[in-house]
């Protein structure tokens, strides 16, 4: 007996762009966290996003609503305004990471920083906190796979709890810079593992 098609977890190839296609119309617009920084486009975006797919697969960063690796959200044509955008942080920005201001060995040698902004599919996505923390852990826990000393993660302001989520991500980032271990920073920071509100 044939089943009913799912509006969420379909594997139909016609619903997804390829990992080797940069389709700007199927990606969220870069938001405030990326403003004033060097937004990745074309081959640069594609290269980092393929790496993201592998990191997320290894660390189990999955969107439970759609039942797929979170990196696939960028390719889902049904949600063209959701997913990740990336930018190389400019060191002269007012809010750039300055390793000298953070206590801890990991803060030494922070030269190349990538910013990643996550736009969820809805303003009330209950997984936004979990997904952004998972992404932070994957990128920074597997830092030997890419050229960045730190990947900073924030939720887009379109999410109804973005301020609280981003406050927690900033705390996690600071803990990581102090400890040098993305997993320990999450585990030892009491409020980080739970939803912020």
């Amino acid at each position: 007996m044939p089943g009913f098609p799912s509006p969420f977890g379909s594997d139909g190839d016609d619903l997804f762009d390829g990992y080797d296609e940069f389709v700007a119309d199927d990606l969220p617009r870069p938001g405030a966290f990326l403003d004033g920084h060097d937004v990745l486009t074309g081959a640069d975006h594609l290269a980092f996003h393929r790496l993201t797919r592998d990191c997320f697969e290894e660390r189990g960063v999955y969107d439970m609503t759609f039942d797929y690796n979170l990196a696939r959200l960028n390719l889902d044509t049904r949600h063209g305004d959701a997913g990740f955008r990336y930018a190389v942080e400019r060191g002269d920005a007012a809010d750039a990471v300055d390793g000298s201001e953070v206590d801890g060995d990991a803060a030494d040698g922070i030269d190349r920083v990538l910013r990643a902004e996550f736009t969820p599919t809805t303003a009330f996505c209950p997984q936004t906190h979990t997904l952004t923390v998972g992404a932070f852990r994957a990128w920074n826990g597997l830092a030997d796979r890419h050229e960045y000393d730190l990947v900073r993660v924030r939720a887009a302001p379109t999410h109804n709890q973005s301020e609280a989520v981003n406050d927690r991500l900033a705390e996690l980032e600071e803990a990581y810079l102090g400890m040098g271990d993305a997993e320990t920073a999450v585990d030892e920071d009491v409020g980080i593992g739970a939803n912020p509100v």
Side-chain angles (χ1 to χ4, degrees):
M1 176 178 219
F4 293 101
S6 169
F8 301 113
S10 174
D11 283 331
D13 289 335
D14 57 330
L15 299 176
F16 296 91
D17 297 322
Y19 280 97
D20 58 349
E21 297 176 87
F22 182 79
V23 184
D25 289 343
D26 291 342
L27 295 172
R29 292 181 185 273
F33 186 59
L34 307 184
D35 189 36
H37 300 278
D38 299 323
V39 175
L40 300 186
T41 59
D44 293 331
H45 172 92
L46 293 173
F48 191 79
H49 201 65
R50 282 191 297 268
L51 177 133
T52 292
R53 173 193 58 199
D54 296 343
C55 290
F56 285 5
E57 191 65 33
E58 183 167 329
R59 293 298 176 103
V61 184
Y62 269 70
D63 186 314
M64 293 303 146
T65 301
F66 303 115
D67 193 30
Y68 56 55
N69 180 317
L70 182 59
R72 199 163 191 216
L73 180 58
N74 273 45
L75 311 177
D76 195 329
T77 60
R78 297 166 295 179
H79 304 288
D81 57 350
F84 281 99
R85 289 304 301 265
Y86 314 106
V88 176
E89 182 172 278
R90 291 189 177 175
D92 60 353
D95 62 342
V97 169
D98 180 0
S100 66
E101 297 175 1
V102 181
D103 292 331
D105 295 336
D108 296 336
I110 298 291
D111 294 320
R112 287 201 36 95
V113 176
L114 187 78
R115 290 177 173 225
E117 185 174 60
F118 177 66
T119 303
T121 56
T122 69
F124 303 98
C125 173
Q127 295 184 79
T128 296
H129 178 259
T130 302
L131 293 172
T132 53
V133 168
F136 179 91
R137 289 176 72 166
W139 284 317
N140 291 295
L142 298 170
D144 59 329
R145 308 261 179 101
H146 54 77
E147 62 188 289
Y148 301 100
D149 302 312
L150 172 67
V151 179
R152 303 176 72 189
V153 183
R154 297 295 186 271
T158 54
H159 190 267
N160 70 319
Q161 293 182 345
S162 63
E163 189 174 330
V165 169
N166 290 338
D167 286 348
R168 294 294 179 112
L169 288 164
E171 292 170 9
L172 175 58
E173 186 179 291
E174 188 174 339
Y176 169 70
L177 288 172
M179 296 178 196
D181 183 347
E183 292 184 34
T184 302
V186 172
D187 294 340
E188 290 190 5
D189 191 276
V190 175
I192 290 296
N195 279 328
V197 183

